Amino acid sequence: MIYRCPICEQALKLEDKTWRCIANHRFDRAKEGYVNLLPVQKKKSNDPGDNKAMMFARREFLNKGYYQSLSDDVNQFAAQYLNGAAVGLDIGCGEGYYSHRLAQHLGNDFSLFGVDISKSALKYAAKRYSNIAFSVASAFDMPYADNSFDFMLRIYAPSRGSELRRVIKPGGILITVCAGPRHHFALKELIYDTPTEHTSQASCIEGFDLIDQKRRESTLCLSDEHDIKHFLQMTPYNWKLTDEQKQTLSQSGFSCELDFKIEVFKAHG
């Protein structure tokens, strides 16, 4: 089995609606379909990850299709490099927007798992996308056996290279997305006196070789008050903008840069 116990690291087996290891650690499958594999002793807060408000804002914004071109690029890279891969993982999958579109693109012969530390996000994801196996856990300590996945996707999710390499098979493909130099720069100009760009240098991940990359640049133009509110609430800049700035942006509309770095890595053999 792919799942391993987050307490003793033994394999988990599903018995009725409960995942259990040989040491009798038990994890019930929620009614929505996900399994919570983040033990209380490994939590750093009572409700880690994005809260319900942030999840709802991101869900509503993404469902409008504003980032669909990014999802399309990721899916095209996946189809190009998977070469018959059968099992994948979306790390930091959130409410499942990218996971769902990837699963649709790759078809029924591909099994997809999703992991996120936010229980609020996975409640929604598992209820809506029942064909994906979602679990609550940290990307720094994932509840999967060594060499479990042919393919992994990581969009903005912080993680550790050694843990990524542990759960992927030798030669497996990892696709990552992070901010390009000009990403959301107009928002930065509202907040900082001397805003700086993100790095343009290629990423380096322990245990992987970079084999392909793409930079997608465009302009996001928003005029709908609800869309603007959702966009601001899902970005880290939401905490730095004043209430007056948010109100002005929501009422007048605005545009800002979208700049994504999409990188494809191959795990060392």
Side-chain angles (χ1 to χ4, degrees):
M1 301 298 294
I2 284 180
Y3 285 130
R4 76 175 191 180
C5 178
I7 298 174
C8 67
E9 299 186 356
Q10 300 297 314
L12 289 174
K13 294 183 179 181
L14 183 61
E15 299 178 356
D16 192 15
K17 296 182 179 180
T18 300
W19 290 93
R20 185 177 69 85
C21 70
I22 59 174
N24 207 31
H25 298 125
R26 296 170 176 264
F27 306 89
D28 293 334
R29 186 170 62 182
K31 63 180 180 180
E32 293 87 355
Y34 70 92
V35 58
N36 191 338
L37 296 174
L38 184 66
V40 173
Q41 60 267 37
K42 292 191 176 183
K43 289 184 178 181
K44 294 183 179 180
S45 66
N46 291 330
D47 188 21
D50 292 346
N51 58 37
K52 289 182 179 179
M54 293 175 67
M55 185 279 295
F56 176 81
R58 186 173 59 245
R59 182 190 77 187
E60 293 299 300
F61 179 82
L62 291 176
N63 284 344
K64 287 291 190 73
Y66 290 115
Y67 282 10
Q68 182 174 322
S69 59
L70 169 62
S71 175
D72 290 340
D73 283 344
V74 166
N75 293 347
Q76 289 170 10
F77 266 140
Q80 178 181 349
Y81 286 101
L82 286 197
N83 297 324
V87 186
L89 172 67
D90 185 0
I91 301 165
C93 61
E95 70 298 319
Y97 172 79
Y98 298 103
S99 312
H100 168 64
R101 298 195 80 247
L102 176 64
Q104 280 190 319
H105 189 75
L106 296 178
N108 295 331
D109 293 334
F110 186 80
S111 297
L112 186 62
F113 288 70
V115 64
D116 200 284
I117 203 168
S118 170
K119 186 166 70 172
S120 297
L122 290 196
K123 280 185 176 181
Y124 173 83
K127 187 174 182 179
R128 188 170 187 186
Y129 310 122
S130 59
N131 60 319
I132 301 171
F134 293 104
S135 58
V136 179
S138 168
F140 290 87
D141 186 15
M142 293 188 280
Y144 307 110
D146 296 357
N147 305 322
S148 289
F149 301 103
D150 304 298
F151 166 80
M152 298 194 305
L153 172 64
R154 187 192 69 181
I155 298 180
Y156 281 100
S159 58
R160 184 171 57 244
S162 58
E163 182 68 353
L164 298 176
R165 181 61 192 86
R166 182 186 68 79
V167 300
I168 198 170
K169 296 176 182 178
I173 296 297
L174 167 66
I175 297 179
T176 69
V177 177
C178 60
R182 300 290 297 178
H183 194 55
H184 295 168
F185 201 78
L187 284 180
K188 287 186 172 184
E189 291 180 309
L190 293 176
I191 299 169
Y192 305 108
D193 293 333
T194 55
T196 58
E197 295 185 345
H198 294 284
T199 180
S200 61
Q201 293 183 347
S203 303
C204 181
I205 302 177
E206 177 187 354
F208 293 83
D209 292 321
L210 179 67
I211 60 173
D212 207 344
Q213 57 187 318
K214 178 178 182 177
R215 184 174 170 188
R216 169 169 283 280
E217 296 180 84
S218 61
T219 300
L220 175 68
C221 298
L222 297 175
S223 57
D224 182 86
E225 183 176 350
H226 295 292
D227 290 349
I228 295 170
K229 178 182 178 182
H230 293 150
F231 171 71
L232 294 176
Q233 193 164 9
M234 76 177 209
T235 70
Y237 305 113
N238 184 56
W239 308 107
K240 297 182 180 295
L241 290 166
T242 66
D243 290 339
E244 291 76 15
Q245 286 175 318
K246 294 177 188 177
Q247 184 175 2
T248 298
L249 291 173
S250 296
Q251 292 175 350
S252 62
F254 80 104
S255 62
C256 73
E257 304 85 350
L258 297 182
D259 187 356
F260 299 107
K261 289 197 305 184
I262 309 169
E263 298 173 311
V264 184
F265 297 86
K266 186 174 183 179
H268 293 168

Short mmCIF file of all heavy atoms in Angstrom, two decimals, residues 209-240:
data_model
loop_
_atom_site.label_atom_id
_atom_site.label_comp_id
_atom_site.label_asym_id
_atom_site.label_seq_id
_atom_site.Cartn_x
_atom_site.Cartn_y
_atom_site.Cartn_z
N ASP A 209 17.30 16.45 -11.16
CA ASP A 209 17.92 17.22 -12.23
C ASP A 209 16.84 18.00 -12.97
O ASP A 209 15.77 17.45 -13.29
CB ASP A 209 18.63 16.31 -13.23
CG ASP A 209 19.85 15.62 -12.63
OD1 ASP A 209 20.57 16.29 -11.86
OD2 ASP A 209 20.07 14.44 -12.92
N LEU A 210 17.10 19.28 -13.24
CA LEU A 210 16.19 20.09 -14.03
C LEU A 210 16.31 19.69 -15.50
O LEU A 210 17.41 19.70 -16.06
CB LEU A 210 16.54 21.58 -13.86
CG LEU A 210 15.69 22.58 -14.64
CD1 LEU A 210 14.26 22.59 -14.13
CD2 LEU A 210 16.29 23.99 -14.54
N ILE A 211 15.18 19.34 -16.13
CA ILE A 211 15.23 18.89 -17.52
C ILE A 211 14.43 19.77 -18.48
O ILE A 211 14.59 19.67 -19.69
CB ILE A 211 14.77 17.42 -17.66
CG1 ILE A 211 13.33 17.25 -17.18
CG2 ILE A 211 15.71 16.49 -16.90
CD1 ILE A 211 12.75 15.86 -17.45
N ASP A 212 13.57 20.64 -17.94
CA ASP A 212 12.79 21.53 -18.82
C ASP A 212 12.23 22.66 -17.97
O ASP A 212 12.10 22.53 -16.74
CB ASP A 212 11.66 20.77 -19.52
CG ASP A 212 11.25 21.40 -20.85
OD1 ASP A 212 11.62 22.58 -21.09
OD2 ASP A 212 10.57 20.73 -21.64
N GLN A 213 11.88 23.75 -18.62
CA GLN A 213 11.30 24.89 -17.89
C GLN A 213 10.57 25.81 -18.85
O GLN A 213 10.81 25.81 -20.05
CB GLN A 213 12.40 25.65 -17.15
CG GLN A 213 13.52 26.17 -18.03
CD GLN A 213 14.65 26.77 -17.20
OE1 GLN A 213 14.42 27.48 -16.24
NE2 GLN A 213 15.89 26.46 -17.58
N LYS A 214 9.67 26.58 -18.28
CA LYS A 214 8.90 27.53 -19.06
C LYS A 214 8.50 28.68 -18.15
O LYS A 214 8.19 28.49 -16.97
CB LYS A 214 7.64 26.87 -19.63
CG LYS A 214 6.73 27.81 -20.42
CD LYS A 214 5.54 27.06 -21.01
CE LYS A 214 4.67 27.99 -21.83
NZ LYS A 214 3.53 27.25 -22.47
N ARG A 215 8.50 29.87 -18.70
CA ARG A 215 8.03 31.04 -17.96
C ARG A 215 6.77 31.58 -18.64
O ARG A 215 6.78 31.84 -19.84
CB ARG A 215 9.12 32.12 -17.93
CG ARG A 215 8.75 33.34 -17.09
CD ARG A 215 9.93 34.29 -17.00
NE ARG A 215 9.55 35.57 -16.41
CZ ARG A 215 10.34 36.63 -16.35
NH1 ARG A 215 11.58 36.55 -16.83
NH2 ARG A 215 9.92 37.76 -15.81
N ARG A 216 5.68 31.66 -17.89
CA ARG A 216 4.42 32.16 -18.44
C ARG A 216 4.14 33.54 -17.85
O ARG A 216 3.95 33.68 -16.64
CB ARG A 216 3.27 31.21 -18.13
CG ARG A 216 1.89 31.83 -18.45
CD ARG A 216 0.77 30.83 -18.40
NE ARG A 216 0.75 30.01 -19.60
CZ ARG A 216 0.22 30.41 -20.76
NH1 ARG A 216 -0.27 31.63 -20.88
NH2 ARG A 216 0.22 29.59 -21.80
N GLU A 217 4.09 34.55 -18.71
CA GLU A 217 3.81 35.92 -18.28
C GLU A 217 2.52 36.41 -18.94
O GLU A 217 2.28 36.18 -20.12
CB GLU A 217 4.95 36.84 -18.67
CG GLU A 217 6.27 36.53 -17.98
CD GLU A 217 7.37 37.48 -18.41
OE1 GLU A 217 7.45 38.59 -17.84
OE2 GLU A 217 8.13 37.12 -19.34
N SER A 218 1.70 37.10 -18.16
CA SER A 218 0.47 37.70 -18.68
C SER A 218 0.03 38.80 -17.71
O SER A 218 0.69 39.05 -16.70
CB SER A 218 -0.63 36.65 -18.84
OG SER A 218 -0.95 36.06 -17.59
N THR A 219 -1.06 39.44 -18.03
CA THR A 219 -1.60 40.49 -17.17
C THR A 219 -2.99 40.08 -16.70
O THR A 219 -3.84 39.68 -17.50
CB THR A 219 -1.70 41.83 -17.92
OG1 THR A 219 -0.39 42.21 -18.36
CG2 THR A 219 -2.26 42.92 -17.01
N LEU A 220 -3.20 40.15 -15.41
CA LEU A 220 -4.49 39.85 -14.82
C LEU A 220 -5.26 41.15 -14.65
O LEU A 220 -4.82 42.06 -13.96
CB LEU A 220 -4.30 39.18 -13.46
CG LEU A 220 -5.57 38.90 -12.64
CD1 LEU A 220 -6.43 37.84 -13.32
CD2 LEU A 220 -5.21 38.48 -11.23
N CYS A 221 -6.42 41.25 -15.29
CA CYS A 221 -7.26 42.44 -15.20
C CYS A 221 -8.57 42.05 -14.52
O CYS A 221 -9.30 41.17 -15.01
CB CYS A 221 -7.54 43.02 -16.58
SG CYS A 221 -6.07 43.58 -17.46
N LEU A 222 -8.86 42.69 -13.40
CA LEU A 222 -10.06 42.37 -12.63
C LEU A 222 -10.93 43.61 -12.47
O LEU A 222 -10.42 44.69 -12.13
CB LEU A 222 -9.68 41.83 -11.25
CG LEU A 222 -8.88 40.52 -11.21
CD1 LEU A 222 -8.48 40.18 -9.78
CD2 LEU A 222 -9.69 39.38 -11.81
N SER A 223 -12.22 43.43 -12.67
CA SER A 223 -13.16 44.54 -12.49
C SER A 223 -14.31 44.17 -11.55
O SER A 223 -14.94 45.06 -10.97
CB SER A 223 -13.73 44.98 -13.84
OG SER A 223 -14.36 43.90 -14.50
N ASP A 224 -14.58 42.88 -11.41
CA ASP A 224 -15.67 42.43 -10.54
C ASP A 224 -15.24 42.53 -9.07
O ASP A 224 -14.18 42.02 -8.69
CB ASP A 224 -16.05 40.99 -10.87
CG ASP A 224 -17.21 40.49 -10.03
OD1 ASP A 224 -18.36 40.71 -10.41
OD2 ASP A 224 -16.93 39.88 -8.96
N GLU A 225 -16.05 43.16 -8.27
CA GLU A 225 -15.69 43.41 -6.87
C GLU A 225 -15.46 42.11 -6.10
O GLU A 225 -14.53 42.01 -5.29
CB GLU A 225 -16.80 44.22 -6.19
CG GLU A 225 -16.51 44.58 -4.75
CD GLU A 225 -17.58 45.47 -4.14
OE1 GLU A 225 -18.46 45.95 -4.89
OE2 GLU A 225 -17.55 45.68 -2.91
N HIS A 226 -16.28 41.09 -6.36
CA HIS A 226 -16.13 39.82 -5.65
C HIS A 226 -14.84 39.10 -6.08
O HIS A 226 -14.14 38.54 -5.24
CB HIS A 226 -17.34 38.93 -5.92
CG HIS A 226 -18.62 39.47 -5.35
ND1 HIS A 226 -18.87 39.56 -4.00
CD2 HIS A 226 -19.72 39.97 -5.98
CE1 HIS A 226 -20.06 40.07 -3.80
NE2 HIS A 226 -20.60 40.34 -4.98
N ASP A 227 -14.54 39.14 -7.37
CA ASP A 227 -13.32 38.50 -7.85
C ASP A 227 -12.09 39.17 -7.25
O ASP A 227 -11.12 38.49 -6.88
CB ASP A 227 -13.25 38.56 -9.37
CG ASP A 227 -14.28 37.67 -10.04
OD1 ASP A 227 -14.90 36.85 -9.34
OD2 ASP A 227 -14.47 37.81 -11.26
N ILE A 228 -12.11 40.49 -7.16
CA ILE A 228 -10.99 41.23 -6.58
C ILE A 228 -10.82 40.87 -5.10
O ILE A 228 -9.70 40.62 -4.63
CB ILE A 228 -11.17 42.74 -6.76
CG1 ILE A 228 -11.13 43.09 -8.24
CG2 ILE A 228 -10.11 43.51 -5.98
CD1 ILE A 228 -11.55 44.52 -8.54
N LYS A 229 -11.93 40.82 -4.39
CA LYS A 229 -11.87 40.46 -2.96
C LYS A 229 -11.29 39.06 -2.79
O LYS A 229 -10.42 38.83 -1.93
CB LYS A 229 -13.27 40.53 -2.36
CG LYS A 229 -13.33 40.15 -0.89
CD LYS A 229 -14.75 40.20 -0.35
CE LYS A 229 -14.80 39.75 1.10
NZ LYS A 229 -16.20 39.75 1.62
N HIS A 230 -11.75 38.11 -3.60
CA HIS A 230 -11.25 36.74 -3.49
C HIS A 230 -9.76 36.66 -3.84
O HIS A 230 -8.99 35.96 -3.18
CB HIS A 230 -12.04 35.82 -4.42
CG HIS A 230 -13.47 35.67 -4.00
ND1 HIS A 230 -14.50 35.44 -4.89
CD2 HIS A 230 -14.06 35.73 -2.77
CE1 HIS A 230 -15.64 35.36 -4.23
NE2 HIS A 230 -15.40 35.53 -2.96
N PHE A 231 -9.36 37.39 -4.89
CA PHE A 231 -7.95 37.38 -5.29
C PHE A 231 -7.06 37.91 -4.18
O PHE A 231 -6.03 37.30 -3.84
CB PHE A 231 -7.78 38.21 -6.56
CG PHE A 231 -6.34 38.44 -6.93
CD1 PHE A 231 -5.57 37.40 -7.43
CD2 PHE A 231 -5.76 39.69 -6.77
CE1 PHE A 231 -4.23 37.61 -7.77
CE2 PHE A 231 -4.43 39.90 -7.10
CZ PHE A 231 -3.67 38.87 -7.59
N LEU A 232 -7.43 39.04 -3.62
CA LEU A 232 -6.61 39.62 -2.56
C LEU A 232 -6.54 38.70 -1.34
O LEU A 232 -5.48 38.56 -0.72
CB LEU A 232 -7.17 40.99 -2.16
CG LEU A 232 -7.10 42.09 -3.22
CD1 LEU A 232 -7.77 43.37 -2.71
CD2 LEU A 232 -5.66 42.37 -3.63
N GLN A 233 -7.66 38.08 -1.02
CA GLN A 233 -7.70 37.26 0.18
C GLN A 233 -6.87 35.99 0.05
O GLN A 233 -6.42 35.43 1.06
CB GLN A 233 -9.15 36.89 0.51
CG GLN A 233 -9.33 36.32 1.91
CD GLN A 233 -10.77 36.32 2.36
OE1 GLN A 233 -11.69 36.59 1.58
NE2 GLN A 233 -11.00 36.03 3.63
N MET A 234 -6.63 35.53 -1.17
CA MET A 234 -5.87 34.30 -1.34
C MET A 234 -4.37 34.55 -1.48
O MET A 234 -3.60 33.60 -1.55
CB MET A 234 -6.39 33.52 -2.56
CG MET A 234 -5.96 34.06 -3.89
SD MET A 234 -6.56 33.00 -5.24
CE MET A 234 -5.27 33.28 -6.47
N THR A 235 -3.94 35.80 -1.54
CA THR A 235 -2.52 36.12 -1.68
C THR A 235 -1.91 36.49 -0.33
O THR A 235 -2.62 36.98 0.56
CB THR A 235 -2.29 37.30 -2.64
OG1 THR A 235 -2.76 38.50 -2.04
CG2 THR A 235 -3.01 37.07 -3.97
N PRO A 236 -0.61 36.31 -0.14
CA PRO A 236 0.02 36.71 1.12
C PRO A 236 0.02 38.22 1.32
O PRO A 236 0.21 38.70 2.45
CB PRO A 236 1.46 36.18 0.98
CG PRO A 236 1.67 36.02 -0.48
CD PRO A 236 0.34 35.66 -1.06
N TYR A 237 -0.22 38.97 0.25
CA TYR A 237 -0.24 40.43 0.36
C TYR A 237 -1.49 40.92 1.07
O TYR A 237 -1.57 42.08 1.45
CB TYR A 237 -0.13 41.07 -1.02
CG TYR A 237 1.07 40.60 -1.80
CD1 TYR A 237 0.93 39.83 -2.94
CD2 TYR A 237 2.37 40.89 -1.36
CE1 TYR A 237 2.03 39.37 -3.64
CE2 TYR A 237 3.48 40.43 -2.05
CZ TYR A 237 3.31 39.68 -3.19
OH TYR A 237 4.40 39.22 -3.86
N ASN A 238 -2.48 40.06 1.24
CA ASN A 238 -3.71 40.45 1.92
C ASN A 238 -3.45 40.98 3.32
O ASN A 238 -4.15 41.88 3.80
CB ASN A 238 -4.65 39.24 1.98
CG ASN A 238 -6.00 39.59 2.58
OD1 ASN A 238 -6.68 40.48 2.11
ND2 ASN A 238 -6.38 38.86 3.62
N TRP A 239 -2.41 40.43 3.97
CA TRP A 239 -2.12 40.84 5.34
C TRP A 239 -1.37 42.18 5.39
O TRP A 239 -1.30 42.80 6.46
CB TRP A 239 -1.26 39.77 6.04
CG TRP A 239 -1.87 38.40 5.93
CD1 TRP A 239 -1.43 37.37 5.15
CD2 TRP A 239 -3.02 37.92 6.62
NE1 TRP A 239 -2.24 36.27 5.31
CE2 TRP A 239 -3.22 36.57 6.20
CE3 TRP A 239 -3.90 38.49 7.53
CZ2 TRP A 239 -4.27 35.79 6.67
CZ3 TRP A 239 -4.96 37.70 8.01
CH2 TRP A 239 -5.13 36.39 7.58
N LYS A 240 -0.82 42.61 4.27
CA LYS A 240 -0.02 43.83 4.26
C LYS A 240 -0.77 45.04 3.68
O LYS A 240 -0.39 46.18 3.95
CB LYS A 240 1.28 43.59 3.47
CG LYS A 240 2.17 42.52 4.08
CD LYS A 240 3.45 42.35 3.32
CE LYS A 240 4.34 41.27 3.94
NZ LYS A 240 4.81 41.66 5.30
#
